[in-house]
Amino acid sequence: NNQYLRGLVFQLYENNGVVKRSEVDKIVKSIPAEERKKLWGMGIKIGRYHIYLPKMLKPKAVEFRINLWKIFHNQSNENKIPKSGLNFLIGNTFNKNFLLLCGFEKFDEFFVRIDILERLFLEIISSDTIKSSKIELVPKMLNLLGCSKENFLKLIKKMNYIVSLENDKYYFKYNPIKKINKKTKGKSQNDNPFAALKQLNIK
């Protein structure tokens, strides 16, 4: 009965089972907590970065959806579905829209499976027991993504974390993008190069 809940489900349907949280955040915030629980019963997950159907990320579901998508758009076979089990990809030639359909989010040259991205986020917040504390980089995080330490540190920086090295151990701390100074309030948003910085981390 909730119009926002219906709107969210429609957006998910229109986008083949994966929607960026930033694009529908206003809708999500308009859905009462009790109504959100209904989404779980429908097999829908609201994550930090995406809203998606976990079952639709399984290999056979991805292959079936991609085949239908290619037929509908008359696409060739130039775009290949990443091999099952890969959670982390590197490349500048990938089609980001195609990979999002396959279940991967783009951070510049890095692509991370959206369900693994959510698990990483949960791992980070469970490690961050004190809001101001630094989070130690542990092997579990690297194993989760299946990437090297160097690439993980590059990725985490693109996710707005500050990295530091202390006693041969790496730590990272979330550094949220600062809001625009009130003094700039009267200036035109079109003239302000920082107006859309909030969205840069997932494009």
Side-chain angles (χ1 to χ4, degrees):
N1 295 325
N2 185 281
Q3 60 177 326
Y4 297 106
L5 190 61
R6 291 201 309 272
L8 183 61
V9 172
F10 178 76
Q11 287 291 328
L12 198 61
Y13 172 78
E14 285 291 294
N15 289 277
N16 301 289
V18 181
V19 181
K20 289 187 178 184
R21 175 74 181 257
S22 61
E23 295 178 356
V24 292
D25 207 36
K26 288 183 179 180
I27 296 177
V28 174
K29 289 178 179 178
S30 299
I31 302 174
E34 287 300 315
E35 291 290 319
R36 290 190 196 184
K37 292 179 181 178
K38 294 180 181 179
L39 294 172
W40 274 111
M42 299 167 68
I44 299 171
K45 178 175 176 57
I46 297 180
R48 170 65 179 81
Y49 296 98
H50 301 86
I51 297 169
Y52 61 100
L53 295 160
K55 288 184 178 180
M56 293 297 282
L57 296 180
K58 292 184 177 181
K60 287 185 178 180
V62 171
E63 183 180 3
F64 182 67
R65 187 167 68 254
I66 292 299
N67 285 335
L68 290 177
W69 181 81
K70 285 186 175 182
I71 291 172
F72 182 80
H73 292 283
N74 194 25
Q75 293 284 328
S76 64
N77 292 321
E78 59 185 61
N79 292 313
K80 301 291 184 182
I81 301 173
K83 291 183 180 179
S84 178
L86 283 178
N87 300 328
F88 186 85
L89 302 171
I90 306 175
N92 291 311
T93 59
F94 293 120
N95 183 317
K96 69 175 184 178
N97 295 322
F98 174 78
L99 280 185
L100 181 61
L101 194 62
C102 294
F104 285 79
E105 183 53 83
K106 184 180 190 297
F107 295 87
D108 291 337
E109 74 274 24
F110 298 131
F111 292 83
V112 184
R113 259 185 62 131
I114 59 177
D115 53 340
I116 298 300
L117 190 62
E118 297 300 337
R119 286 173 60 185
L120 175 63
F121 178 71
L122 292 175
E123 183 69 28
I124 289 173
I125 61 174
S126 65
S127 301
D128 189 12
T129 52
I130 304 174
K131 192 174 182 181
S132 61
S133 68
K134 295 178 181 178
I135 302 158
E136 182 182 351
L137 172 56
V138 295
K140 184 178 179 180
M141 296 175 183
L142 300 178
N143 294 335
L144 184 61
L145 267 69
C147 67
S148 67
K149 182 186 293 184
E150 291 73 19
N151 283 331
F152 182 90
L153 293 174
K154 290 178 182 178
L155 171 67
I156 211 71
K157 288 178 181 177
K158 296 177 187 298
M159 294 170 66
N160 298 326
Y161 285 84
I162 296 175
V163 176
S164 60
L165 178 61
E166 301 173 16
N167 300 320
D168 295 326
K169 292 183 178 180
Y170 282 100
Y171 295 85
F172 53 95
K173 181 179 178 181
Y174 186 58
N175 181 39
I177 298 170
K178 294 181 180 179
K179 293 182 179 180
I180 300 170
N181 194 302
K182 289 183 179 180
K183 292 180 180 179
T184 65
K185 211 171 184 182
K187 294 183 179 181
S188 171
Q189 290 296 322
N190 294 329
D191 297 331
N192 193 330
F194 302 100
L197 276 180
K198 274 189 177 180
Q199 300 177 8
L200 286 180
N201 63 324
I202 58 169
K203 285 190 175 180

mmCIF file with all atom_site columns, all heavy atoms in Angstrom, residues 21-22 46-50 117-118 121 174 201:
data_model
loop_
_atom_site.group_PDB
_atom_site.id
_atom_site.type_symbol
_atom_site.label_atom_id
_atom_site.label_alt_id
_atom_site.label_comp_id
_atom_site.label_asym_id
_atom_site.label_entity_id
_atom_site.label_seq_id
_atom_site.pdbx_PDB_ins_code
_atom_site.Cartn_x
_atom_site.Cartn_y
_atom_site.Cartn_z
_atom_site.occupancy
_atom_site.B_iso_or_equiv
_atom_site.pdbx_formal_charge
_atom_site.auth_seq_id
_atom_site.auth_comp_id
_atom_site.auth_asym_id
_atom_site.auth_atom_id
_atom_site.pdbx_PDB_model_num
ATOM 1   N N   . ARG A 1 21  ? 22.031 3.058  -4.690 1.00 0.00 ? 21  ARG A N   1
ATOM 2   C CA  . ARG A 1 21  ? 21.357 3.654  -3.541 1.00 0.00 ? 21  ARG A CA  1
ATOM 3   C C   . ARG A 1 21  ? 21.250 5.181  -3.682 1.00 0.00 ? 21  ARG A C   1
ATOM 4   O O   . ARG A 1 21  ? 20.226 5.781  -3.331 1.00 0.00 ? 21  ARG A O   1
ATOM 5   C CB  . ARG A 1 21  ? 22.139 3.292  -2.269 1.00 0.00 ? 21  ARG A CB  1
ATOM 6   C CG  . ARG A 1 21  ? 21.646 3.934  -0.974 1.00 0.00 ? 21  ARG A CG  1
ATOM 7   C CD  . ARG A 1 21  ? 20.359 3.300  -0.479 1.00 0.00 ? 21  ARG A CD  1
ATOM 8   N NE  . ARG A 1 21  ? 19.894 3.950  0.741  1.00 0.00 ? 21  ARG A NE  1
ATOM 9   C CZ  . ARG A 1 21  ? 20.029 3.446  1.955  1.00 0.00 ? 21  ARG A CZ  1
ATOM 10  N NH1 . ARG A 1 21  ? 20.614 2.267  2.113  1.00 0.00 ? 21  ARG A NH1 1
ATOM 11  N NH2 . ARG A 1 21  ? 19.571 4.072  3.012  1.00 0.00 ? 21  ARG A NH2 1
ATOM 12  N N   . SER A 1 22  ? 22.281 5.805  -4.215 1.00 0.00 ? 22  SER A N   1
ATOM 13  C CA  . SER A 1 22  ? 22.304 7.260  -4.337 1.00 0.00 ? 22  SER A CA  1
ATOM 14  C C   . SER A 1 22  ? 21.201 7.785  -5.252 1.00 0.00 ? 22  SER A C   1
ATOM 15  O O   . SER A 1 22  ? 20.745 8.908  -5.101 1.00 0.00 ? 22  SER A O   1
ATOM 16  C CB  . SER A 1 22  ? 23.666 7.727  -4.865 1.00 0.00 ? 22  SER A CB  1
ATOM 17  O OG  . SER A 1 22  ? 23.916 7.190  -6.154 1.00 0.00 ? 22  SER A OG  1
ATOM 18  N N   . ILE A 1 46  ? 18.503 -3.822 0.894  1.00 0.00 ? 46  ILE A N   1
ATOM 19  C CA  . ILE A 1 46  ? 18.903 -2.418 0.861  1.00 0.00 ? 46  ILE A CA  1
ATOM 20  C C   . ILE A 1 46  ? 20.282 -2.324 1.479  1.00 0.00 ? 46  ILE A C   1
ATOM 21  O O   . ILE A 1 46  ? 20.449 -2.506 2.692  1.00 0.00 ? 46  ILE A O   1
ATOM 22  C CB  . ILE A 1 46  ? 17.915 -1.526 1.635  1.00 0.00 ? 46  ILE A CB  1
ATOM 23  C CG1 . ILE A 1 46  ? 16.524 -1.567 0.993  1.00 0.00 ? 46  ILE A CG1 1
ATOM 24  C CG2 . ILE A 1 46  ? 18.417 -0.084 1.662  1.00 0.00 ? 46  ILE A CG2 1
ATOM 25  C CD1 . ILE A 1 46  ? 15.494 -0.714 1.678  1.00 0.00 ? 46  ILE A CD1 1
ATOM 26  N N   . GLY A 1 47  ? 21.280 -2.068 0.660  1.00 0.00 ? 47  GLY A N   1
ATOM 27  C CA  . GLY A 1 47  ? 22.651 -1.983 1.142  1.00 0.00 ? 47  GLY A CA  1
ATOM 28  C C   . GLY A 1 47  ? 23.143 -0.553 1.228  1.00 0.00 ? 47  GLY A C   1
ATOM 29  O O   . GLY A 1 47  ? 22.411 0.401  0.963  1.00 0.00 ? 47  GLY A O   1
ATOM 30  N N   . ARG A 1 48  ? 24.394 -0.401 1.590  1.00 0.00 ? 48  ARG A N   1
ATOM 31  C CA  . ARG A 1 48  ? 25.007 0.921  1.724  1.00 0.00 ? 48  ARG A CA  1
ATOM 32  C C   . ARG A 1 48  ? 25.137 1.609  0.375  1.00 0.00 ? 48  ARG A C   1
ATOM 33  O O   . ARG A 1 48  ? 24.940 2.819  0.256  1.00 0.00 ? 48  ARG A O   1
ATOM 34  C CB  . ARG A 1 48  ? 26.390 0.780  2.371  1.00 0.00 ? 48  ARG A CB  1
ATOM 35  C CG  . ARG A 1 48  ? 27.260 2.032  2.360  1.00 0.00 ? 48  ARG A CG  1
ATOM 36  C CD  . ARG A 1 48  ? 26.674 3.147  3.189  1.00 0.00 ? 48  ARG A CD  1
ATOM 37  N NE  . ARG A 1 48  ? 27.525 4.316  3.187  1.00 0.00 ? 48  ARG A NE  1
ATOM 38  C CZ  . ARG A 1 48  ? 27.576 5.230  2.238  1.00 0.00 ? 48  ARG A CZ  1
ATOM 39  N NH1 . ARG A 1 48  ? 26.805 5.084  1.177  1.00 0.00 ? 48  ARG A NH1 1
ATOM 40  N NH2 . ARG A 1 48  ? 28.360 6.268  2.321  1.00 0.00 ? 48  ARG A NH2 1
ATOM 41  N N   . TYR A 1 49  ? 25.475 0.839  -0.662 1.00 0.00 ? 49  TYR A N   1
ATOM 42  C CA  . TYR A 1 49  ? 25.712 1.406  -1.982 1.00 0.00 ? 49  TYR A CA  1
ATOM 43  C C   . TYR A 1 49  ? 24.635 1.048  -3.007 1.00 0.00 ? 49  TYR A C   1
ATOM 44  O O   . TYR A 1 49  ? 24.459 1.753  -3.983 1.00 0.00 ? 49  TYR A O   1
ATOM 45  C CB  . TYR A 1 49  ? 27.070 0.941  -2.523 1.00 0.00 ? 49  TYR A CB  1
ATOM 46  C CG  . TYR A 1 49  ? 28.237 1.428  -1.709 1.00 0.00 ? 49  TYR A CG  1
ATOM 47  C CD1 . TYR A 1 49  ? 28.832 0.618  -0.746 1.00 0.00 ? 49  TYR A CD1 1
ATOM 48  C CD2 . TYR A 1 49  ? 28.757 2.706  -1.891 1.00 0.00 ? 49  TYR A CD2 1
ATOM 49  C CE1 . TYR A 1 49  ? 29.905 1.062  0.004  1.00 0.00 ? 49  TYR A CE1 1
ATOM 50  C CE2 . TYR A 1 49  ? 29.828 3.156  -1.157 1.00 0.00 ? 49  TYR A CE2 1
ATOM 51  C CZ  . TYR A 1 49  ? 30.395 2.337  -0.206 1.00 0.00 ? 49  TYR A CZ  1
ATOM 52  O OH  . TYR A 1 49  ? 31.454 2.793  0.543  1.00 0.00 ? 49  TYR A OH  1
ATOM 53  N N   . HIS A 1 50  ? 23.952 -0.074 -2.799 1.00 0.00 ? 50  HIS A N   1
ATOM 54  C CA  . HIS A 1 50  ? 22.980 -0.539 -3.787 1.00 0.00 ? 50  HIS A CA  1
ATOM 55  C C   . HIS A 1 50  ? 21.739 -1.136 -3.140 1.00 0.00 ? 50  HIS A C   1
ATOM 56  O O   . HIS A 1 50  ? 21.768 -1.545 -1.979 1.00 0.00 ? 50  HIS A O   1
ATOM 57  C CB  . HIS A 1 50  ? 23.597 -1.614 -4.695 1.00 0.00 ? 50  HIS A CB  1
ATOM 58  C CG  . HIS A 1 50  ? 24.801 -1.168 -5.437 1.00 0.00 ? 50  HIS A CG  1
ATOM 59  N ND1 . HIS A 1 50  ? 26.063 -1.229 -4.903 1.00 0.00 ? 50  HIS A ND1 1
ATOM 60  C CD2 . HIS A 1 50  ? 24.942 -0.642 -6.679 1.00 0.00 ? 50  HIS A CD2 1
ATOM 61  C CE1 . HIS A 1 50  ? 26.932 -0.748 -5.780 1.00 0.00 ? 50  HIS A CE1 1
ATOM 62  N NE2 . HIS A 1 50  ? 26.277 -0.387 -6.859 1.00 0.00 ? 50  HIS A NE2 1
ATOM 63  N N   . LEU A 1 117 ? 30.888 -5.899 -1.896 1.00 0.00 ? 117 LEU A N   1
ATOM 64  C CA  . LEU A 1 117 ? 31.075 -4.523 -1.443 1.00 0.00 ? 117 LEU A CA  1
ATOM 65  C C   . LEU A 1 117 ? 30.288 -4.287 -0.153 1.00 0.00 ? 117 LEU A C   1
ATOM 66  O O   . LEU A 1 117 ? 30.786 -3.647 0.782  1.00 0.00 ? 117 LEU A O   1
ATOM 67  C CB  . LEU A 1 117 ? 30.614 -3.560 -2.536 1.00 0.00 ? 117 LEU A CB  1
ATOM 68  C CG  . LEU A 1 117 ? 30.934 -2.079 -2.365 1.00 0.00 ? 117 LEU A CG  1
ATOM 69  C CD1 . LEU A 1 117 ? 32.431 -1.840 -2.330 1.00 0.00 ? 117 LEU A CD1 1
ATOM 70  C CD2 . LEU A 1 117 ? 30.300 -1.271 -3.482 1.00 0.00 ? 117 LEU A CD2 1
ATOM 71  N N   . GLU A 1 118 ? 29.080 -4.819 -0.085 1.00 0.00 ? 118 GLU A N   1
ATOM 72  C CA  . GLU A 1 118 ? 28.262 -4.678 1.117  1.00 0.00 ? 118 GLU A CA  1
ATOM 73  C C   . GLU A 1 118 ? 28.865 -5.455 2.282  1.00 0.00 ? 118 GLU A C   1
ATOM 74  O O   . GLU A 1 118 ? 28.854 -4.988 3.431  1.00 0.00 ? 118 GLU A O   1
ATOM 75  C CB  . GLU A 1 118 ? 26.834 -5.164 0.850  1.00 0.00 ? 118 GLU A CB  1
ATOM 76  C CG  . GLU A 1 118 ? 26.077 -4.371 -0.192 1.00 0.00 ? 118 GLU A CG  1
ATOM 77  C CD  . GLU A 1 118 ? 25.922 -2.898 0.154  1.00 0.00 ? 118 GLU A CD  1
ATOM 78  O OE1 . GLU A 1 118 ? 25.996 -2.552 1.356  1.00 0.00 ? 118 GLU A OE1 1
ATOM 79  O OE2 . GLU A 1 118 ? 25.725 -2.096 -0.759 1.00 0.00 ? 118 GLU A OE2 1
ATOM 80  N N   . PHE A 1 121 ? 31.697 -3.469 3.606  1.00 0.00 ? 121 PHE A N   1
ATOM 81  C CA  . PHE A 1 121 ? 31.203 -2.350 4.404  1.00 0.00 ? 121 PHE A CA  1
ATOM 82  C C   . PHE A 1 121 ? 30.812 -2.819 5.805  1.00 0.00 ? 121 PHE A C   1
ATOM 83  O O   . PHE A 1 121 ? 31.122 -2.166 6.806  1.00 0.00 ? 121 PHE A O   1
ATOM 84  C CB  . PHE A 1 121 ? 30.006 -1.703 3.701  1.00 0.00 ? 121 PHE A CB  1
ATOM 85  C CG  . PHE A 1 121 ? 29.391 -0.571 4.467  1.00 0.00 ? 121 PHE A CG  1
ATOM 86  C CD1 . PHE A 1 121 ? 30.052 0.646  4.602  1.00 0.00 ? 121 PHE A CD1 1
ATOM 87  C CD2 . PHE A 1 121 ? 28.152 -0.719 5.068  1.00 0.00 ? 121 PHE A CD2 1
ATOM 88  C CE1 . PHE A 1 121 ? 29.496 1.690  5.312  1.00 0.00 ? 121 PHE A CE1 1
ATOM 89  C CE2 . PHE A 1 121 ? 27.576 0.319  5.783  1.00 0.00 ? 121 PHE A CE2 1
ATOM 90  C CZ  . PHE A 1 121 ? 28.252 1.524  5.905  1.00 0.00 ? 121 PHE A CZ  1
ATOM 91  N N   . TYR A 1 174 ? 37.558 6.643  7.707  1.00 0.00 ? 174 TYR A N   1
ATOM 92  C CA  . TYR A 1 174 ? 36.625 7.292  6.792  1.00 0.00 ? 174 TYR A CA  1
ATOM 93  C C   . TYR A 1 174 ? 36.754 8.804  6.875  1.00 0.00 ? 174 TYR A C   1
ATOM 94  O O   . TYR A 1 174 ? 36.837 9.388  7.955  1.00 0.00 ? 174 TYR A O   1
ATOM 95  C CB  . TYR A 1 174 ? 35.184 6.887  7.122  1.00 0.00 ? 174 TYR A CB  1
ATOM 96  C CG  . TYR A 1 174 ? 34.170 7.398  6.124  1.00 0.00 ? 174 TYR A CG  1
ATOM 97  C CD1 . TYR A 1 174 ? 34.277 7.061  4.772  1.00 0.00 ? 174 TYR A CD1 1
ATOM 98  C CD2 . TYR A 1 174 ? 33.126 8.217  6.519  1.00 0.00 ? 174 TYR A CD2 1
ATOM 99  C CE1 . TYR A 1 174 ? 33.355 7.517  3.855  1.00 0.00 ? 174 TYR A CE1 1
ATOM 100 C CE2 . TYR A 1 174 ? 32.195 8.688  5.602  1.00 0.00 ? 174 TYR A CE2 1
ATOM 101 C CZ  . TYR A 1 174 ? 32.322 8.326  4.264  1.00 0.00 ? 174 TYR A CZ  1
ATOM 102 O OH  . TYR A 1 174 ? 31.423 8.795  3.343  1.00 0.00 ? 174 TYR A OH  1
ATOM 103 N N   . ASN A 1 201 ? 32.229 9.038  -5.581 1.00 0.00 ? 201 ASN A N   1
ATOM 104 C CA  . ASN A 1 201 ? 32.829 7.804  -5.130 1.00 0.00 ? 201 ASN A CA  1
ATOM 105 C C   . ASN A 1 201 ? 32.261 6.554  -5.786 1.00 0.00 ? 201 ASN A C   1
ATOM 106 O O   . ASN A 1 201 ? 32.868 5.503  -5.749 1.00 0.00 ? 201 ASN A O   1
ATOM 107 C CB  . ASN A 1 201 ? 32.683 7.663  -3.605 1.00 0.00 ? 201 ASN A CB  1
ATOM 108 C CG  . ASN A 1 201 ? 31.226 7.591  -3.188 1.00 0.00 ? 201 ASN A CG  1
ATOM 109 O OD1 . ASN A 1 201 ? 30.375 8.251  -3.777 1.00 0.00 ? 201 ASN A OD1 1
ATOM 110 N ND2 . ASN A 1 201 ? 30.943 6.788  -2.189 1.00 0.00 ? 201 ASN A ND2 1
#
